[in-house]
Amino acid sequence: MKRFIILFTLLATASIVYGQRSQKAASAWLIQPSYSYLFSGGDMENRFGDFMGVGLGVGYKTANNWIVSVDAQFTFGNNVKNVGPLLNTMLTKKGNILNETGNYGDIDVNQRGWLGSLDVSKTFNFLSVNPNSGINLLFGAGGLWHYINFNTPGKDIPQVMGEYDKGYDEMSGGFMLKQSIGYVYLSRNRRVNFKISFEIMKAFTTNYRKFSYSTGKPVTGTMNDFIYGFKAQWILPIYGTQSTGGNHYYYD
């Protein structure tokens, strides 16, 4: 019985290897909506905690499993640190904020931002279910922007409305480097296609607001911001017509 199991395993493995050798990956355009759960690091950790991102990527995959793509994400979260010191110039002794009528006002403080990059990746299809799937390594470069968003439900706190919020929002941005490792799965029937990855990004950012109302001082210096976390992408592949030339291209 054991010999039969071993023989069956060897035959199945050989069949898979032979099948992959006789098949070739197909080129395709890839549309990739995404969701990310991210964490702050470096100087950015002093301002924000964890946050989320939703985005869209568009890429082209070659028959050699190289992928060139552009990716953009909108980031958002409610984990903003050091809100008290940031708004200290407008708070009462009890830590409340007054609206334009002299009553206590409501204010929500959130994180907002954007990520954008040009990426190049390679999918290695060893031990994968088909030639279009496998471990994916990605490198990219682009830009990172983030700021503190003030939402006043009553629209009655002029201290952080209009042009005044620029003295407190600490909008920052700069050049970003990006790398990730993940797994790409493109199914035989095209119905299930996705990518799961772990990303690390480093950005060299500066504060676009040259003066801070909270400190009463000019803002100078460059920050080293880190972002890391998990990203899930649903992939919509658009395959073109393939010229087989005697070979079987794997896109059915």
Side-chain angles (χ1 to χ4, degrees):
M1 184 64 180
K2 290 183 178 180
R3 292 180 179 179
F4 174 78
I5 294 175
I6 294 173
L7 179 60
F8 178 80
T9 303
L10 292 175
L11 290 175
T13 302
S15 176
I16 293 174
V17 172
Y18 176 78
Q20 290 191 357
R21 286 180 177 178
S22 64
Q23 298 168 343
K24 291 186 177 182
S27 60
W29 287 96
L30 308 176
I31 301 174
Q32 305 169 97
S34 66
Y35 168 82
S36 300
Y37 194 88
L38 304 165
F39 301 88
S40 302
D43 293 324
M44 190 175 175
E45 189 177 9
N46 298 325
R47 188 176 298 174
F48 303 117
D50 56 328
F51 57 99
M52 293 172 283
V54 292
L56 180 67
V58 177
Y60 182 77
K61 172 186 168 306
T62 71
N64 294 321
N65 276 338
W66 284 96
I67 302 173
V68 179
S69 59
V70 291
D71 184 74
Q73 290 189 72
F74 169 70
T75 61
F76 56 96
N78 56 12
N79 192 346
V80 180
K81 301 179 180 180
N82 302 315
V83 175
L86 177 68
L87 302 178
N88 64 348
T89 58
M90 64 179 76
L91 297 178
T92 66
K93 292 182 179 180
K94 294 183 179 181
N96 297 308
I97 189 169
L98 299 178
N99 61 21
E100 58 188 2
T101 64
N103 298 312
Y104 292 148
D106 294 325
I107 183 171
D108 296 323
V109 183
N110 305 292
Q111 182 232 340
R112 297 288 186 268
W114 303 272
L115 301 168
S117 62
L118 173 64
D119 305 325
V120 178
S121 66
K122 170 71 172 177
T123 300
F124 300 89
N125 59 14
F126 51 87
L127 300 179
S128 63
V129 295
N130 63 60
N132 288 313
S133 305
I135 301 296
N136 182 269
L137 299 180
L138 177 147
F139 295 91
L144 162 69
W145 300 268
H146 55 74
Y147 67 98
I148 299 172
N149 178 66
F150 302 99
N151 179 36
T152 56
K155 307 297 181 184
D156 55 359
I157 304 178
Q159 302 95 308
V160 292
M161 294 174 59
E163 291 293 313
Y164 292 108
D165 70 345
K166 294 181 180 180
Y168 299 97
D169 67 6
E170 299 190 358
M171 176 175 279
S172 304
F175 178 72
M176 177 189 72
L177 295 172
K178 171 183 175 183
Q179 56 187 324
S180 76
I181 181 171
Y183 184 80
V184 174
Y185 177 76
L186 300 178
S187 67
R188 300 181 179 182
N189 58 17
R190 308 188 191 184
R191 296 176 183 175
V192 179
N193 310 281
F194 62 85
K195 178 182 178 182
I196 304 294
S197 59
F198 178 77
E199 294 188 327
I200 299 176
M201 290 160 275
K202 179 178 182 180
F204 308 91
T205 62
T206 57
N207 195 322
Y208 293 154
R209 314 309 187 193
K210 301 305 180 183
F211 189 84
S212 171
Y213 290 178
S214 61
T215 63
K217 299 179 181 179
V219 179
T220 60
T222 301
M223 297 177 291
N224 292 315
D225 294 340
F226 286 90
I227 297 176
Y228 59 95
F230 298 94
K231 184 176 185 179
Q233 295 171 277
W234 187 258
I235 301 175
L236 303 175
I238 303 174
Y239 294 99
T241 303
Q242 303 292 328
S243 175
T244 61
N247 295 315
H248 176 65
Y249 286 85
Y250 198 91
Y251 62 93
D252 60 340

